[in-house]
Amino acid sequence: QQQQEEEDETAWQTFKNHPLVMVLPIVLIPYILYISCLFLQLQRPDIVETATLGLLQLRPAVTKTDTRQVLIVGTMSSGTVQVAHDLTHQLPLEVGHEVVDADWSFCRDGTVSWF
């Protein structure tokens, strides 16, 4: 009797009871929130400003064709990671290390890279 009930389990029940499906919301919900925050901060800050009635004003979005203020090129092992870190933390700049995509990363002021 019990074996027959186990065999009669539908595909939906098998899918629903799978351990990966039970863990998926725990992983997927924070990831979606993270991507949404990046999208709103970097690509559409105007939505945040409108939704908060101007109380929260973010930096304007930077497109791929906009000019940047900082471009530092060094040689390999010349400390480009440290230079990017120093510019970010000692000056109010958003400078990335070997990152040029300002749509999804905080490098709206420029980038530091090596030849």
Side-chain angles (χ1 to χ4, degrees), residues 33-52:
L33 289 173
Y34 172 72
I35 294 296
S36 300
C37 286
L38 283 180
F39 176 76
L40 289 173
Q41 280 185 308
L42 296 173
Q43 295 180 24
R44 295 301 307 267
D46 56 319
I47 294 175
V48 175
E49 188 174 335
T50 304
T52 60

Side-chain angles (χ1 to χ4, degrees), residues 42 59 68-74 79-89 91-114:
L42 296 173
R59 290 184 59 177
R68 312 268 177 82
Q69 293 115 347
V70 178
L71 172 62
I72 297 176
V73 179
T80 55
V81 174
Q82 187 63 39
V83 170
H85 179 270
D86 291 343
L87 287 173
T88 302
H89 289 87
L91 298 173
L93 295 175
E94 286 182 6
V95 177
H97 179 255
E98 296 184 6
V99 178
V100 293
D101 187 14
D103 288 340
W104 292 107
S105 57
F106 291 95
C107 63
R108 291 182 275 196
D109 289 321
T111 189
V112 177
S113 189
W114 58 272

Side-chain angles (χ1 to χ4, degrees), residues 20-69:
L20 289 176
V21 174
M22 289 188 235
V23 174
L24 187 65
I26 296 170
V27 174
L28 195 59
I29 290 172
Y31 181 72
I32 290 172
L33 289 173
Y34 172 72
I35 294 296
S36 300
C37 286
L38 283 180
F39 176 76
L40 289 173
Q41 280 185 308
L42 296 173
Q43 295 180 24
R44 295 301 307 267
D46 56 319
I47 294 175
V48 175
E49 188 174 335
T50 304
T52 60
L53 301 175
L55 293 174
L56 186 60
Q57 295 181 349
L58 301 175
R59 290 184 59 177
V62 174
T63 63
K64 293 181 189 210
T65 59
D66 289 346
T67 58
R68 312 268 177 82
Q69 293 115 347

